[in-house]
Amino acid sequence: MNSEIARATELLLRDALVAIPTETVYGLAGNALSDRAVARIYEAKGRPAFNPLIVHVSSLEQAMQYADFNDVAARLARHFWPGPLTLVLPRKPGCALSLLTSAGLDSIALRIPSHPLALELLRESNLPLAAPSANRSGRISPTSARHVYEELADKVSLILDGGDCRIGIESTVVDACGELPAILRRGMVSRESIQQLLGRPISTANDTTDTPKSPGMLQSHYAPQKPLRLNAHTVSDDEALLAFGVPLPGAMQTAQLSASRNLEEAAANLFRMLRELDATPARAIAAMPIPMQGLGEAINDRLQRAAS
Ligand code: TXA
Ligand code: MG
């Protein structure tokens, strides 16, 4: 194994972040199987909310372990992968990818990049890599190792230098959950080329910005079935408690986001614990207050959406 790839693998296995070149833009990569690594990605980007991330894999077989492909999705993948097309697909039951990569959605965005260094890392490490563009939130996507250094030097453990990105704009994102695919973000793979392959027209979401649909607007967006009560300072015996720090006494059941009030740990646990509490016999979920700093903003944003 190339020593840079070996070093990157070692870091990724320790939940550290590695910037990777792709043919589109540089990505800020973390182990997509690890909630902690994915929480670190959000922390590094300084996003005020959780946007779902793209998970990069090395083969269609690997992708099929994590998501359900209907015939249309399989055709798109066979034709355009490796390459600048991201497919949003239903997560398979028991999918091992961190729920935080999906930001609580029931879908997952997958792609196989074509950059040789990215592919080598994906193959050699045998890890699925969550990687948004390696810029801070609200800034433009980096297309060289130097850009990444300027954006995120203090947040990444290693930057793999793969030269200038060949394409320089982000991948086309296609929702392929249903029978009729829809373009969620425009990119290098054009609508025409997709239509030509499938032999029928496909729709484009009317929004052309980088984040076409906020997670809160997506249909498959996960919200707990039970009522969710925020900023709880007391809890009753028919409620399940989402604790942060010393848990309130008296709950029917408690899930601890972080006993030490660590926001990264809380972010890593959030989506899984919401689901766990939702599956208990409790009447409602009560969430303890989370401070509005750093990742706390994104956690509060998500809790507010889930509560409304
Ligand atoms: O070219 C690219 O796609 C680059 C390289 C690094 O692969 N990555 C990238 O990631 O641009 P990011 O996180 O900056 O953009 C991901 C896009 C966002 O528009 C996000 O809303 C959408 O993909 N997305 C991810 N998962 C989704 C999901 N489950 N449902 C709908 N949209 C999703
Ligand atoms: Mg981006």
Side-chain angles (χ1 to χ4, degrees):
M1 205 191 290
N2 157 337
S3 67
E4 282 276 279
I5 297 286
R7 173 144 168 69
T9 301
E10 204 181 285
L11 289 164
L12 290 164
L13 286 170
R14 283 195 269 128
D15 292 340
L17 304 185
V18 173
I20 60 167
T22 82
E23 72 280 23
T24 58
V25 300
Y26 274 75
L28 177 63
N31 178 1
L33 299 172
S34 161
D35 289 326
R36 193 162 80 118
V38 179
R40 284 190 174 165
I41 295 175
Y42 287 105
E43 203 273 323
K45 290 205 48 130
R47 278 180 173 171
F50 296 117
N51 286 335
L53 307 177
I54 298 171
V55 175
H56 300 71
V57 295
S58 60
S59 69
L60 183 55
E61 293 66 48
Q62 190 187 11
M64 286 178 166
Q65 289 171 17
Y66 302 129
D68 287 324
F69 284 70
N70 62 25
D71 289 349
V72 170
R75 277 181 77 187
L76 289 169
R78 290 208 175 88
H79 187 82
F80 291 105
W81 284 356
L85 178 75
T86 295
L87 295 175
V88 173
L89 301 160
R91 288 176 71 106
K92 271 204 167 148
C95 169
L97 300 174
S98 164
L99 280 171
L100 202 50
T101 59
S102 293
L105 300 172
D106 291 320
S107 57
I108 185 77
L110 296 174
R111 101 176 175 95
I112 304 180
S114 67
H115 192 291
L117 204 52
L119 274 178
E120 193 184 344
L121 177 61
L122 288 164
R123 288 201 188 112
E124 296 289 343
S125 71
N126 200 26
L127 291 173
L129 297 179
S133 50
N135 51 283
R136 292 192 190 241
S137 180
R139 311 275 296 269
I140 57 165
S141 301
T143 55
S144 71
R146 162 140 292 274
H147 290 174
V148 179
Y149 184 80
E150 287 163 8
E151 286 279 319
L152 293 166
D154 54 330
K155 301 285 187 184
V156 289
S157 299
L158 176 68
I159 301 174
L160 290 180
D161 190 347
D164 288 344
C165 298
R166 186 171 57 80
I167 294 173
I169 57 167
E170 295 91 339
S171 61
T172 305
V173 179
V174 170
D175 179 348
C177 290
E179 288 303 313
L180 290 177
I183 295 181
L184 301 179
R185 181 177 73 181
R186 290 166 210 239
M188 187 63 190
V189 171
S190 69
R191 179 160 99 157
E192 290 69 31
S193 61
I194 296 172
Q195 292 184 155
Q196 204 162 34
L197 177 75
L198 300 179
R200 62 170 146 173
I202 64 161
S203 68
T204 304
N206 42 14
D207 193 336
T208 57
T209 57
D210 180 49
T211 311
K213 284 182 177 178
S214 79
M217 289 159 62
L218 289 166
Q219 256 187 350
S220 55
H221 186 230
Y222 170 77
Q225 305 287 306
K226 298 188 200 299
L228 174 62
R229 190 164 66 80
L230 304 183
N231 295 315
H233 291 281
T234 59
V235 63
S236 60
D237 61 8
D238 63 351
E239 286 181 313
L241 180 71
L242 191 62
F244 183 72
V246 181
L248 297 169
M252 175 182 272
Q253 188 149 342
T254 296
Q256 178 58 269
L257 285 174
S258 173
S260 62
R261 297 173 57 84
N262 176 309
L263 288 166
E264 194 177 283
E265 187 186 8
N269 287 330
L270 179 67
F271 291 106
R272 183 168 36 80
M273 289 185 173
L274 273 177
R275 283 177 192 256
E276 281 167 13
L277 295 183
D278 208 19
T280 66
R283 178 189 54 79
I285 302 171
M288 290 176 63
I290 314 278
M292 273 298 259
Q293 323 144 357
L295 274 175
E297 272 187 63
I299 296 171
N300 280 305
D301 171 81
R302 190 59 191 78
L303 284 173
Q304 265 144 25
R305 288 170 193 274
S308 61

